[in-house]
Every structure is written in C-alpha cells, then in structure tokens.
C-alpha cells in the first residue's frame, strides 16, 4: 500500500501537468468512464489544474447511480419481508427508491445489513438456515465475478436460503450508446482500469476503430489519471485512435481468465436498463438458466413493481456528459445529498455529489461560485 | 443500437423527511444536527442548550462549571486500545476539557442486557475505574437498569460530568476570528478504523489501536501557555471534518485546511482506501483540534508537543474571511475542495 503515497506525489503530478500543457493545442473533451475516477478527479482538484483546453466529462460509471429505480424498488420490497436478511454494499442503502430507501426499511424493522463481500452474505445464510438471505448484486464487471463466485459456492455447498438480486452492467455497450447519441461530444475515453483488470482490453479496439476515439485504460490514483489524460491528449493531438494501457500494474491485455470463466458459467448477457440512460441492448448480466434458483427476482416474485419518478432531475444528461452537475437548476438547492433528486447526488461517486462536496463554494452554489478558491 | 433519447429521463422522488429515526441520526452529521435543532432544542428551550456545545458552561453560586453528558453504545464492547468503559470516562472528561474545565465528578449509568456475562460487566467497570483514576476524576454516583435479552448489545453506558472552568478561560466557536491558526493534536482516524476492523472482521495488515485517552492534562498544558485559546473541539463522531464544519458554521468564518498537513497514519490511510472512506470523517477518541490566535500558535504547539498526548501536534490550517461558514481543503496537488458536514454515517463505497 506504499503506492498510495507514491501515486499522489505532487512533484510528479506537476511534471505530468506540464507535459499535458505542452502537448495540447486545441480543446478536447475526454470522458472518464468510472465513478471512482470522477471521485479522484474532483477530490484532488485535478480538473482545476488541467489546461482549459482539456475538458473532463464525467461518465456513467457509478454502479450505484445507474442501478435502475425499478431494481431499487424490488430491493426495498424484498428487504421489507420479515423472513429476509437483506445484505448490501454500504452506499446502496441511501439510494432512494420511489418512496423510501434501505435505511428507512431498516428503521421499520427490516433486517438490512452492510457487508463488504458477497461471501459475507453467504456466511450469514449458513448461520441463519431458517431465514432467506439476499445479496444485492450491483455494479460493473468488477463486482460481477465475486458475485458469480458466491452463487457458484452456494450451489456447491448446498446452501438453499441464499439468493442474489442482480443488476450488473457492462461498460463497452455503454460506450457504444454514448457514442451513438446525437448529442455526444466525447472525443476520447479514459477506460476503467479495474473493469479491464477483469475483462482485459479485447472489447475496446473495435470501439476505438468504429468511433475513431482513443481509449486509454486508466487507474484511480491522481498520477494514474494524469498519465491517462497525458496519453489520451497525445493521441488526440496526433490524430490517433488506439487502445492504450496506462495501468499496466493492474491490467493485462487478456484480463483475468478465471474471473471471465466464472462469469460465463453463472451469468448470461441481457438487455439492461440504466438509470438516466434507458435500456441498452446486451449491456448487462443476469443469472443464467442453470442458476435461476438463486435469482431473488424469481424467488420473491417481485414482478409488477411500478416506479414513480419526478422530472426535475437531469442526472441523465449529467451521466451522458451533456451538462455539468452545477448546470442543473436543482443542483445545491432542491437537490443535495441530504435530499437527492437523483442517484448521481446520492452516491459519493456520483458526479453531482462529488461536485456538491468538493466544488461548492457558497451556500447556494452557482456556476460562478464553482471556481477554485484563490 | 437505438439512439439514446434523453428528453424523457427522470429520477426518483426525493427523500425530504425521515418519518422514523435512522442510524444516521446518531452519526454526528447533518441528520444529528437536524434532530437536535428540530425536536430537542425547541422542546427544552433554554439559552444554554441553544449554544449546542459538547458541554454547557453554567454558573452556580458564583462558580463557573462545565456540565456534560454522553451515552456509549459501541460494538464490540472490547476493542484494540480500550473498551466501552474507557470510552465512557474519557469521552465525557474530554467534553469537559473542551470547555477548558478539569473534570471533577462523573455519574455512571449502566444499561445491561439480560444474559450478559458477569465478567464482561466487571471488565467494563474495572476499565472505567482505571480510566477515572488516570484522568483524576471521581465516579461519584450511578444507576443500573437491565433490559430483556435481545433489547441491547450487552452493555450501554451513560456518563455525565462536571468540572470547574478556570478564570479567564472562555472557549467558544464565536470567539474564532479570521487569522486564527488551526492545530490538531496528532494522528487522526485511529479509533474509527480500530472499531471497524474488529466489528467487520477486516484485516488491514497491522492492528490499529484506538487512540482513546483523556485530554484534560493536555488542555491544561495548553492553557498554561495562554488562557486565550479561542475554541477546542474533540473530533469524535463525524471526525475532523464534522468538528471543523461545526466551528466554521458557529463562528461564521471560513477555514482553509492544508490537506497534506493533516496527520493521517499510513495504516488509517490504507484502511480508508480499501473501504472508500475519507479519514477526515473517521472518529477519534483522544485527539483535539484547537483554534489559536496566531501570536500564540507557536508557543501552544510547543506546549502540546511536550505532552505525550500532543507529541504529534501539527498546524493544519487557518481561518479566513472568505467563504464564511465553509471549510475548504487545499489538496496536495494544488487544487481545492469543499469539506462538508457528513450527512449521516460514512458508507463504504462499492468501487
């Protein structure tokens, strides 16, 4: 973990910034796909330090933000049942469904528990054989393999009272959806390093060729992100559009074959709805027919859930990079982390929450106030 | 691939109120503050309570006293570096110390769960006694209640305390002025990470111990240099960030923190990196943050460093006229970010 300090070295950061400044000659719009990268960018003020020509557009890569409202409502319904222990990663508890969140379910007596791994939920199922234990399996290619492994283990160990509520999504189809949107301004992508550590880089050359965009696999520490930006800008300036790996300490081009095999065994590709974006074909995973017994949606028959959504929130446009968070009329006034209108304000990785927490320099922020402190 | 139409995209109904108590109401953040301001303060009235300090400064028979109470519901009861008994003494002693008072007497209320083993109760009581003796405070009165099995976590504690405020000492956020120097007494985040590591069974490579300690002696050594300290705060729930935000709001001054100057031990930084937490929001139980007039800053810092509990003291920032009521951190890379009051409890991030 000594890397933490090394990859936040201000002197090296300055050198990378100088190189980026020396390279850039005209405006470019880069999208960082992953919410973890958005968080680092805003938390460290990286966007303030870049030359004006380099614009960062925050992508739809926050797993909490893009989980559809319908799935949240199903989670709330299942978690409210007295015979259920509902297990989730922490930051899903605050995401509002149509009328409540998991915290409120817990305050009404629901047994909702924060776990750090799906295997913890499996252990809880073993310890509570007379109760149904459900794990909320959300996220991208990074969280899907351990969830798949857990279902695989549940079957292997013969644990009948465990199931998974699945809402997994895949990055490449989302990139395709963004690039085919008529309003798209994205000229290059910083691809999510952790996704690539699992899936490898094989899905990206076709996208880079088809849309003529550089795709640079990028890590999550400040220096990782600056290096990803440096390589992306260099490609843009040269008129190149290749797939480059700026995160070799974690990403091999073939990815993690064992994890991929586990995904292929347990999941199957499906159309998936993304909050703020809509349905994207082949952009998600669900449990395959062989593991259907472990699918909480089937086990608890939570069909017929209808959602209710207000229209004030523009998180769809934020997730697409069409507007910056502070350009939404509700930002910081009607919509704050205390009373979020949308998931991008709920998750700490959501672009709106990151802007609110780290950019707001007045009680009721406006774009003018969102400038750095002198 | 259908084209994406954003015109109809919508998001969920906002949660504008909480019809029931949620865990965040006890997290020391915005929800806690709202609970106090919207329900408790109006119900009780009273000017002293309205100041919302960690302890109340009251006058009785011409004597200035600091008076405070605190409840302790920590799980597990015993953790690396201490137990609920140490916390219950040191936490209340520290709340008094933040008023400049030397704790004199404590009360102690035990709420025991039916079925808890006697050696556990004895262990907690012994730890309380030892902590009280170390802090030079006497447990003078107490109470015991037992709740049915399943209605508690073994042992809950409440302690109240009183102490004398020395003449010439007036520690209040309202005394903070632009130009004050902000000092923290040492490494942050140890208690919160220690509790998390045992509560969740997480291994961070090295055992992290709680910093649980009584700060009365450290405060005395600071006041010996100058009684003109402006405000002290022990950054417990909500961590350093919550303490700074509360002071910025109450004093209507801006605070600028040099993030690189904030002492975060590598074990805490690593644990927080793994969990997706911010060390600035993680609880401490043996640290204080001091707002000191600039002309006294060096002398106070020297006095703190000469004390065992202030050996790691560092200047982390200053108060400014700009952005009143707001805390801004300058990042190591040279950018800035707003440090906000946490909403409820910090939640581990998914990725």
């Amino acid at each position: 973990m000594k890397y933490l300090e090394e990859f936040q070295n201000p002197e090296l950061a300055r050198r990378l910034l100088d190189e980026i400044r020396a390279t850039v000659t005209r405006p470019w719009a880069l999208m960082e796909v992953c919410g973890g990268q958005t968080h680092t960018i805003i938390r460290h003020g990286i966007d303030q330090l870049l030359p004006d020509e380099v614009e960062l557009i925050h992508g739809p890569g926050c797993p909490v933000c893009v989980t559809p409202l319908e799935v949240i409502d199903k989670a709330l319904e299942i978690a409210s049942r007295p015979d259920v222990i509902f297990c989730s990663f922490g930051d899903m508890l605050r995401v509002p469904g149509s009328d409540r969140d998991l915290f409120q379910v817990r305050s009404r007596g629901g047994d909702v528990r924060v776990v750090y791994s799906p295997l913890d939920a499996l252990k809880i199922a073993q310890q509570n054989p007379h109760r149904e234990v459900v794990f909320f399996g959300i996220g991208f290619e990074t969280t899907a393999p351990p969830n798949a492994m857990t279902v695989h283990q549940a079957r292997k160990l013969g644990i009948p009272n465990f199931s998974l509520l699945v809402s997994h999504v895949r990055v490449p189809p989302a990139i395709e959806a963004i690039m085919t949107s008529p309003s798209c301004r994205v000229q290059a992508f910083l691809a999510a390093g952790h996704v690539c550590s699992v899936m490898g880089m094989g899905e990206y050359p076709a996208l880079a060729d088809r849309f003529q965009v550089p795709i640079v696999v990028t890590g999550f520490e400040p220096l990782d992100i600056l290096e990803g930006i440096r390589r992306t800008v260099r490609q843009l300036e040269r008129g190149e559009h290749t797939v480059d790996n700026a995160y070799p300490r974690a990403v091999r081009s073939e990815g993690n074959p064992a994890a991929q095999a586990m995904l292929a065994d347990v999941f199957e590709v499906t159309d998936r709805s993304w909050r703020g974006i809509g349905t994207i074909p082949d952009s998600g995973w669900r449990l395959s027919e062989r593991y259907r017994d472990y699918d909480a949606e089937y086990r608890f028959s939570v069909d017929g859930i209808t959602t209710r959504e207000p229209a004030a929130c523009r998180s769809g446009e934020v997730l697409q990079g069409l507007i910056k968070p502070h350009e939404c009329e509700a930002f910081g006034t009607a919509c704050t982390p205390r009373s979020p209108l949308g998931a991008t304000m709920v998750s700490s990785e959501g672009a709106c929450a990151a802007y609110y927490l780290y950019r707001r320099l007045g009680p009721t922020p406006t774009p003018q106030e969102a400038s750095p402190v002198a | 691939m259908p084209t994406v139409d954003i015109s109809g995209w919508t998001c969920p109904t906002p949660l504008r109120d909480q019809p029931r108590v949620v865990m965040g109401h006890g997290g020391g953040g915005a929800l806690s503050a709202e609970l106090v301001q919207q329900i408790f303060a109006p119900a009780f009235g009273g000017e002293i309570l309205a100041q919302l300090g960690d302890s109340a400064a009251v006058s009785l028979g011409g004597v200035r006293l600091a008076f405070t109470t605190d409840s302790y519901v920590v799980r597990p009861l015993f953790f690396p570096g201490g137990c609920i008994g140490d916390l219950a003494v040191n936490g209340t002693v520290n709340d008094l110390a933040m008023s400049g008072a030397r704790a004199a007497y404590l009360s102690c209320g035990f709420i025991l769960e039916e079925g808890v083993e006697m050696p556990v109760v004895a262990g907690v009581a012994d730890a309380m006694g030892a902590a009280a003796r170390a802090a030079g405070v006497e447990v003078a009165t107490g109470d015991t209640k037992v709740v049915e099995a399943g209605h508690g976590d073994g042992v809950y504690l409440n302690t109240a305390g009183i102490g004398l405020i020395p003449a010439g000492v007036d520690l209040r956020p309202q005394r903070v002025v632009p130009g004050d120097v902000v000092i923290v007494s040492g490494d942050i985040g140890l208690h919160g990470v220690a509790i998390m590591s045992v509560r969740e069974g997480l291994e961070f490579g090295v055992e992290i111990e709680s910093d649980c300690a009584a700060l009365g002696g450290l405060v005395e050594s600071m006041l010996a240099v100058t009684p003109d300290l402006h405000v002290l705060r022990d950054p417990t729930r909500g961590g350093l960030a919550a303490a700074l935000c509360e002071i910025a709001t109450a004093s209507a001054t801006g605070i600028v923190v040099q993030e690189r100057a904030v002492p975060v031990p590598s074990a805490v930084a690593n644990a927080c990196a793994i969990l997706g937490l911010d060390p600035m929001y993680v609880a401490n139980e043996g640290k204080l943050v001091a707002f000191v007039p600039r002309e006294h800053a060096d002398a106070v810092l020297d006095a703190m460093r000469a004390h065992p509990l202030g050996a790691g003291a560092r200047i982390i920032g200053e108060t400014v006229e700009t952005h009143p009521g707001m805390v801004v951190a300058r990042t190591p890379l040279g950018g800035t970010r707003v440090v906000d009051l946490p909403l409820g409890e910090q939640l581990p991030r998914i990725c």
Side-chain angles (χ1 to χ4, degrees):
Chain A
M1 294 298 286
K2 66 179 179 141
Y3 289 130
L4 268 184
E5 195 138 326
E6 291 178 6
F7 283 91
Q8 297 180 7
N9 182 307
E11 182 50 42
L12 293 175
R14 266 191 293 277
R15 278 190 227 165
L16 285 168
L17 282 161
D18 287 345
E19 273 196 65
I20 293 166
R21 275 191 211 100
T23 306
V24 72
T25 62
R26 54 191 162 135
W28 298 111
L30 288 54
M31 175 175 276
E32 87 277 2
V33 170
C34 181
Q37 292 168 336
T38 303
H39 191 83
T40 300
I41 287 162
I42 304 299
R43 191 183 186 284
H44 291 270
I46 289 171
D47 55 332
Q48 303 166 348
L49 303 170
L50 290 167
D52 292 343
E53 292 88 347
V54 179
E55 180 189 2
L56 289 174
I57 293 174
H58 312 307
C62 165
V64 176
C65 300
V66 300
T67 301
L69 183 55
E70 179 186 310
V71 175
I72 306 281
D73 283 350
K74 286 175 180 175
L76 294 166
E77 166 69 25
I78 293 168
S80 300
R81 301 187 181 198
D83 59 327
V84 165
I85 299 172
F86 193 87
C87 300
S88 171
F89 292 131
D91 51 3
M92 287 305 294
L93 268 65
R94 201 176 280 150
V95 181
S98 289
D99 60 353
R100 61 203 156 128
D101 59 20
L102 285 166
F103 274 127
Q104 291 191 2
V105 168
R106 195 159 76 173
S107 76
R108 290 169 187 267
D111 194 343
V112 178
R113 304 185 190 182
V114 172
V115 295
Y116 297 90
S117 154
L119 289 167
D120 293 343
L122 194 61
K123 205 179 296 176
I124 291 169
Q126 286 176 293
Q127 293 162 348
N128 295 270
H130 302 301
R131 297 183 68 189
E132 285 288 335
V133 176
V134 181
F135 180 72
F136 201 176
I138 68 142
F140 286 84
E141 293 94 327
T142 41
T143 52
N147 292 346
M149 163 69 85
T150 306
V151 173
H152 182 83
Q153 282 288 98
R155 165 165 291 178
K156 192 173 157 189
L157 299 170
I159 301 169
N161 60 321
F162 175 83
S163 59
L164 197 65
L165 179 62
V166 186
S167 183
H168 281 302
V169 280
R170 301 169 56 231
V171 167
I175 288 181
E176 191 179 355
I178 288 163
M179 290 311 297
T180 52
S181 171
S183 44
C184 174
R185 296 190 304 110
V186 180
Q187 296 165 292
F189 287 93
L190 305 181
H194 290 160
V195 167
C196 295
S197 70
V198 173
M199 302 305 291
M201 293 157 57
E203 296 173 287
Y204 294 98
L207 290 167
D209 282 344
R210 179 179 162 194
F211 298 111
Q212 305 280 291
V213 287
I215 299 177
V216 177
V217 177
T218 302
F220 298 85
E221 293 302 322
L223 293 190
D224 290 325
I225 287 170
L226 288 169
E227 174 63 7
I229 292 169
R230 186 186 72 85
R231 293 192 191 199
T232 307
V233 168
R234 190 175 59 186
Q235 278 203 51
L236 287 165
E237 290 284 341
R238 292 176 180 175
E240 298 169 353
H241 47 84
T242 63
V243 178
D244 187 15
N245 182 6
Y247 196 34
R249 73 178 187 278
V251 175
R252 295 193 306 256
S253 60
E254 72 277 14
N256 180 338
Q260 291 166 29
M262 184 59 69
L263 288 170
D265 177 39
V266 176
F267 290 132
E268 61 188 28
V269 171
T270 182
D271 296 353
R272 182 64 76 189
S273 169
W274 295 49
R275 182 183 249 171
I277 292 178
T279 298
I280 302 175
D282 296 336
S283 68
W285 280 302
R286 67 181 173 204
L287 284 165
S288 63
E289 194 63 49
R290 292 187 300 283
Y291 290 91
R292 197 54 48 87
D293 293 351
Y294 292 92
D295 191 330
E297 283 199 55
Y298 287 87
R299 189 173 293 194
F300 295 94
S301 311
V302 282
D303 311 325
I305 294 270
T306 54
T307 57
R308 252 194 356 266
E309 308 187 37
C313 174
R314 299 174 66 187
S315 68
E317 293 161 271
V318 172
L319 289 169
Q320 284 272 282
L322 300 175
I323 62 167
K324 286 274 189 284
H326 63 251
E327 291 167 343
C328 170
E329 298 77 8
F331 176 79
T333 51
C335 181
T336 67
R338 169 71 184 85
S339 55
L341 279 168
T344 45
M345 187 60 96
V346 175
S347 164
S348 60
E349 292 183 11
C352 295
Y355 264 67
Y356 184 87
L357 290 173
Y358 300 144
R359 279 290 165 282
R360 184 177 43 95
L361 292 173
T364 49
T366 64
Q368 290 74 33
E369 287 173 315
S371 57
V373 179
Chain B
M1 169 66 62
T3 55
V4 176
D5 173 21
I6 63 163
S7 60
W9 294 349
T10 56
C11 265
T13 306
L15 302 178
R16 296 231 168 267
D17 56 9
Q18 298 281 358
R20 294 169 186 251
V21 171
V22 294
M23 288 303 290
H25 284 114
L31 288 176
S32 297
E34 285 169 19
L35 183 67
V36 171
Q37 287 161 4
Q38 293 172 9
I39 292 186
F40 299 143
F44 301 143
E47 289 175 22
I48 300 170
L49 181 67
Q51 293 172 16
L52 299 178
D54 284 344
S55 63
V58 296
S59 290
L60 203 60
V63 178
R64 288 178 74 227
L65 294 172
F67 177 37
T68 190
T69 184
D70 209 337
S71 299
Y72 300 87
V73 294
V74 66
R75 277 185 308 115
L77 298 175
F78 295 84
F79 46 82
C83 73
I84 191 171
D86 304 307
L87 273 186
V89 170
N90 293 339
T92 296
V93 164
N94 291 347
D95 281 349
L96 295 173
M98 296 308 108
S99 293
R102 180 68 151 168
Y105 298 104
L106 297 185
S107 72
C108 169
F110 271 85
I111 298 171
L112 303 175
E113 183 185 11
E114 179 186 32
V116 69
E117 292 165 348
M118 281 300 173
V120 171
V121 180
V124 170
D126 287 345
M128 286 188 82
R133 284 186 290 277
V137 61
E138 185 177 344
V139 180
T141 183
D143 176 61
T144 307
K145 293 286 186 293
V146 178
V147 296
E148 290 173 7
H151 288 253
D153 283 318
V155 179
Y156 293 149
L157 292 175
N158 172 277
T159 51
I162 53 170
L164 286 173
I165 300 175
V169 172
D170 181 19
L171 299 173
R172 289 178 291 121
Q174 292 76 14
R175 294 200 59 220
V176 171
V177 292
D180 280 359
V181 172
V182 184
I183 303 173
V184 71
S185 62
D187 286 344
I188 65 164
L190 290 162
H191 177 74
V193 170
I195 294 289
M196 239 179 306
S197 63
V198 285
R199 186 183 292 173
E200 311 297 349
L202 300 169
E203 299 285 339
F204 299 122
V206 293
E207 183 174 83
I208 298 168
E209 290 202 346
S210 168
D211 57 348
C212 184
L215 297 167
L218 175 63
V219 172
E220 276 186 9
S221 66
M222 294 164 70
L223 289 170
V225 172
T226 174
D228 190 31
L229 306 176
H230 284 170
V231 70
L232 300 175
R233 194 59 64 99
D234 61 333
T236 52
R237 292 175 311 166
L240 181 62
L244 294 175
C245 287
E246 287 166 10
I247 290 169
T249 302
S251 65
T253 57
I255 299 173
V256 175
V257 175
Q258 302 296 336
E259 209 172 23
R260 233 180 145 64
V262 177
V264 182
S266 59
V268 170
N270 294 344
C272 287
I274 290 167
L275 296 171
L277 304 176
D278 186 337
M280 292 267 285
Y281 292 91
V282 177
N284 311 275
E285 286 292 346
K287 296 294 178 302
L288 64 80
V289 60
F291 286 63
V292 182
R294 188 169 296 273
E295 62 270 27
H296 299 306
D298 288 343
V300 170
L301 192 64
D302 289 345
M304 291 173 78
R305 287 176 172 169
H307 191 282
L309 294 177
R314 294 178 68 169
I315 293 172
I316 59 165
E318 61 182 349
T319 52
V320 293
E321 286 182 27
T322 48
H323 53 83
M326 187 163 282
V327 182
V328 171
R330 289 194 189 281
T331 72
L333 269 57
T336 58
R337 64 185 179 104
V338 173
V339 178
D340 210 353
L341 193 66
L343 178 66
E345 296 175 284
Q346 267 205 114
L347 297 168
R349 277 165 41 206
I350 185 169
C351 73

